[in-house]
């Protein structure tokens, strides 16, 4: 499938579609109408049709969507089989939790190295990987050419590390550092994650519910 430009709000919904379609597959449901899918997902049927039209439609009048086909197509768009080599910096509580509990491969990436500046952590295990000291980073990147990095370090060191990593060939950041990275290169991608934002959304909903 060729590269297509899809709007950011639609891209943000794609992982959720992918996840729901996976659940349908597990339930051995082969096809579904936009109305049924909308009900399951708490969206409107027209929203779903509009979203799927962005990458070609795929629904058939009177048939609905073929669950497996649609999931495959959305998976291709998301790049879930890309196995993008990724490193994680900051083997503290968060970094270790992500390494241990997130299936990177299922989500398009392959975690190939974990690094930390604390010499006491070098050589310890984080999930199935051994934490490496920062002075090995340059050599590691030359040899293994990771394309993406997860930043699980405090905000103070985030920008400097980011600049260094870009020089080492990193072109995408999954940034948990609570710092908005300043990057002039439009080819570098940053996904900032603030779990607190999600919690505040919950707080808002509780605050405004009857
Ligand atoms: P932690 O203190 O357990 O781990 C941080 C690790 O980063 C330490 O092992 C430290 O040695 C290492 N580190 C610090 N600077 C480094 C550098 N320049 N290069 C390499 N390693 C470095 O902290 P924790 O709990 O794992 O949290 C990490 C960061 O993530 C914190 O700044 C925290 O505020 C943030 N955080 C963000 C969340 C989010 O939703 N974005 C959620 C939870 C934490």
């Amino acid at each position: 499938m060729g590269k297509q430009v899809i709007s950011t709000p639609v891209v943000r919904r794609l992982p959720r579609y992918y996840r729901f379609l996976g659940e349908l597959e597990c339930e051995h449901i082969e096809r579904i109408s936009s109305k049924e899918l909308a009900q399951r997902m708490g969206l409107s049927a027209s929203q779903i049709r509009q979203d799927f039209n962005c990458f070609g439609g795929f629904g058939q009048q009177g048939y609905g969507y073929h669950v497996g086909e649609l999931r495959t197509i959305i998976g291709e768009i998301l790049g879930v089989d890309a196995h993008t080599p990724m490193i994680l910096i900051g083997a503290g509580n968060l970094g270790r939790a992500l390494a241990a509990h997130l299936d990177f491969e299922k989500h398009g990436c392959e975690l190939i190295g974990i690094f930390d500046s604390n010499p006491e952590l070098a050589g310890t295990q984080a999930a199935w990987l051994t934490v490496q000291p920062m002075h090995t980073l340059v050599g590691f990147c030359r040899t293994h050419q990771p394309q993406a990095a997860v930043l699980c370090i405090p905000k103070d060191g985030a920008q400097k590390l980011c600049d260094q990593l870009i020089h080492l060939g990193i072109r995408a950041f999954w940034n948990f550092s609570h710092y908005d990275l300043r990057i002039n290169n439009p080819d570098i991608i940053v996904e900032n994650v603030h779990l607190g934002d999600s919690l505040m959304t919950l707080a808002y909903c509780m605050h405004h519910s009857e």
Side-chain angles (χ1 to χ4, degrees):
M1 170 172 294
K3 292 232 170 185
Q4 314 155 54
V5 179
I6 298 172
S7 74
T8 306
V10 179
V11 172
R12 297 251 170 236
R13 283 193 288 274
L14 288 184
R16 195 156 171 254
Y17 287 130
Y18 187 76
R19 186 158 46 80
F20 269 82
L21 290 165
E23 285 171 14
L24 292 172
E25 274 192 324
C26 288
E27 292 171 36
H28 305 290
I29 295 171
E30 279 183 20
R31 64 176 173 153
I32 191 161
S33 67
S34 47
K35 194 174 158 205
E36 283 170 308
L37 188 57
Q39 274 167 357
R40 277 187 175 242
M41 296 187 64
L43 295 170
S44 71
S46 69
Q47 171 82 84
I48 286 181
R49 281 194 295 269
Q50 222 176 310
D51 284 353
F52 292 171
N53 277 341
C54 294
F55 44 90
F58 304 109
Q60 283 169 35
Q61 200 76 40
Y63 179 87
Y65 298 102
H66 188 286
V67 171
E69 273 174 22
L70 187 58
R71 185 166 183 266
T72 301
I73 288 159
I74 294 177
E76 280 173 11
I77 294 169
L78 288 168
V80 291
D81 293 325
H83 302 295
T84 303
M86 190 173 211
I87 52 174
L88 186 151
I89 318 280
N93 295 307
L94 181 63
R96 281 171 191 274
L98 288 176
H101 299 295
L102 188 71
D103 190 339
F104 283 77
E105 289 204 16
K106 246 173 127 179
H107 297 87
C109 295
E110 190 184 348
L111 188 60
I112 59 168
I114 300 187
F115 296 82
D116 198 289
S117 61
N118 180 351
E120 287 180 14
L121 294 182
T124 62
Q125 285 298 117
W128 69 101
L129 291 165
T130 303
V131 178
Q132 303 182 56
M134 290 302 281
H135 67 81
T136 63
L137 184 65
V138 174
F140 183 94
C141 289
R142 280 201 192 117
T143 308
H144 300 284
Q145 304 192 339
Q147 302 289 299
V150 194
L151 300 187
C152 297
I153 63 166
K155 60 169 128 184
D156 295 353
Q159 186 66 50
K160 195 173 163 212
L161 178 65
C162 165
D163 295 341
Q164 185 194 0
L165 288 168
I166 290 171
H167 276 109
L168 294 174
I170 297 294
R171 57 182 183 86
F173 292 89
W174 197 28
N175 176 29
F176 285 83
S177 74
H178 284 322
Y179 177 83
D180 289 334
L181 301 166
R182 286 186 305 271
I183 300 171
N184 293 325
N185 185 342
D187 295 334
I188 305 291
I189 305 152
V190 180
E191 175 72 14
N192 294 307
V193 186
H194 296 280
L195 294 177
D197 289 0
S198 175
L199 184 56
M200 270 193 283
T201 308
L202 178 70
Y204 171 88
C205 294
M206 290 189 290
H207 189 61
H208 289 85
S209 67
E210 292 298 325

